[in-house]
């Protein structure tokens, strides 16, 4: 069985923030981030990572800056999980891997279901690009299911990397239907 968490209403977001952030100063910062990028509030998975955003003491004025920070934090956590500390080369490799994975998933979208990459396509991808088969943690940007298929932990991360690819290559054609 699959269970989905529905988007929060405005009232639901406020209730969540009041319960999560007991200190008013911290709650006000969280409310400011949510107000600047209200679409974040409708995504409970991302809303649950507000602590990562608050710990950076940055001003977030765009959804892109929020995703950039969330992805940066997640990749750094993945590097620590794999290496037990900081490793700038592995950080860059995992960042490149995530972008390439999104493009590979996009290029094979006709052969995939529900934005998942089959084990066969994934193995071909890592061999062709000379990536190792990373041991992703359960809190990773990219997850492997029991059948060996690979996917981003959230559709919006996939869309972020596609947008990043489009910025790097303006000729890349991404259909607007089905993507935010």
């Amino acid at each position: 069985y699959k269970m989905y968490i529905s988007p929060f209403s405005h009232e639901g977001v406020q209730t969540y923030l009041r319960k999560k952030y007991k200190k008013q100063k911290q709650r006000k910062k969280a409310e400011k981030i949510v107000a600047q990028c209200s679409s974040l509030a409708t995504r409970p998975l991302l809303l649950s990572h507000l602590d990562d955003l608050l710990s950076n003491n940055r001003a977030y004025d765009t959804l892109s800056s929020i995703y950039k920070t969330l992805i940066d934090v997640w990749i750094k956590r993945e590097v620590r999980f794999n290496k037990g500390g900081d490793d700038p080369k592995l950080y860059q490799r995992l960042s490149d891997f995530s972008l390439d994975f999104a493009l590979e998933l996009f290029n094979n979208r006709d052969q995939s279901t529900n934005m998942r990459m089959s084990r066969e396509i994934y193995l071909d991808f890592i061999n062709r690009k000379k990536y190792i088969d990373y041991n992703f943690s359960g809190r990773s940007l990219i997850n492997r299911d029991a059948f060996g298929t690979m996917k981003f932990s959230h559709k919006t991360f996939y869309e972020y990397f596609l947008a990043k690819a489009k910025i790097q290559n303006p000729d890349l054609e991404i259909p607007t239907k089905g993507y935010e």
Side-chain angles (χ1 to χ4, degrees), residues 71-84:
I71 287 168
D72 179 61
V73 168
W74 282 33
I75 291 175
K76 285 178 181 175
R77 186 170 32 233
E78 203 62 39
V79 168
R80 284 192 307 274
F81 175 79
N82 278 282
K83 290 288 186 179

Side-chain angles (χ1 to χ4, degrees), residues 17-167:
L17 294 176
R18 272 192 312 275
K19 287 183 177 184
K20 180 157 177 74
Y21 301 106
K22 302 294 184 195
K23 294 180 181 176
Q24 187 174 10
K25 184 178 178 183
Q26 199 173 27
R27 185 171 57 246
K28 291 293 181 194
K29 285 182 182 179
E31 287 172 347
K32 186 176 179 183
I33 291 171
V34 169
Q36 288 171 330
C37 297
S38 60
S39 62
L40 176 73
T42 64
R43 298 179 173 98
L45 170 71
L46 302 180
L47 189 60
S48 70
H49 289 279
L50 269 173
D51 289 344
D52 292 332
L53 298 170
L54 293 171
S55 67
N56 283 316
N57 291 323
R58 285 185 49 193
Y60 298 101
D61 54 350
T62 66
L63 196 54
S64 177
S65 64
I66 288 174
Y67 277 96
K68 183 176 182 337
T69 299
L70 287 175
I71 287 168
D72 179 61
V73 168
W74 282 33
I75 291 175
K76 285 178 181 175
R77 186 170 32 233
E78 203 62 39
V79 168
R80 284 192 307 274
F81 175 79
N82 278 282
K83 290 288 186 179
D86 292 334
D87 183 342
K89 288 181 182 177
L90 181 58
Y91 175 91
Q92 188 59 50
R93 192 76 170 143
L94 284 173
S95 183
D96 293 344
F97 178 89
S98 299
L99 180 63
D100 288 345
F101 180 78
L103 285 169
E104 190 74 15
L105 191 58
F106 177 75
N107 290 333
N108 289 290
R109 66 191 177 279
D110 295 335
Q111 300 166 16
S112 66
T113 56
N114 201 21
M115 290 178 275
R116 295 174 187 266
M117 186 183 294
S118 72
R119 177 122 180 100
E120 295 77 26
I121 293 173
Y122 175 72
L123 290 174
D124 176 65
F125 161 69
I126 62 171
N127 288 326
R128 190 171 14 89
K129 294 283 191 169
K130 298 188 179 3
Y131 285 116
I132 60 169
D133 190 9
Y134 294 107
N135 181 20
F136 294 104
S137 70
R139 297 184 62 190
S140 178
L141 285 173
I142 300 168
N143 294 306
R144 181 187 330 258
D145 67 15
F147 303 105
T149 60
M150 302 294 288
K151 68 175 187 70
F152 279 97
S153 59
H154 201 270
K155 177 185 176 189
T156 56
F157 293 128
Y158 172 53
E159 291 172 339
Y160 171 85
F161 282 108
L162 285 182
K164 187 174 178 178
K166 176 72 173 173
I167 290 168

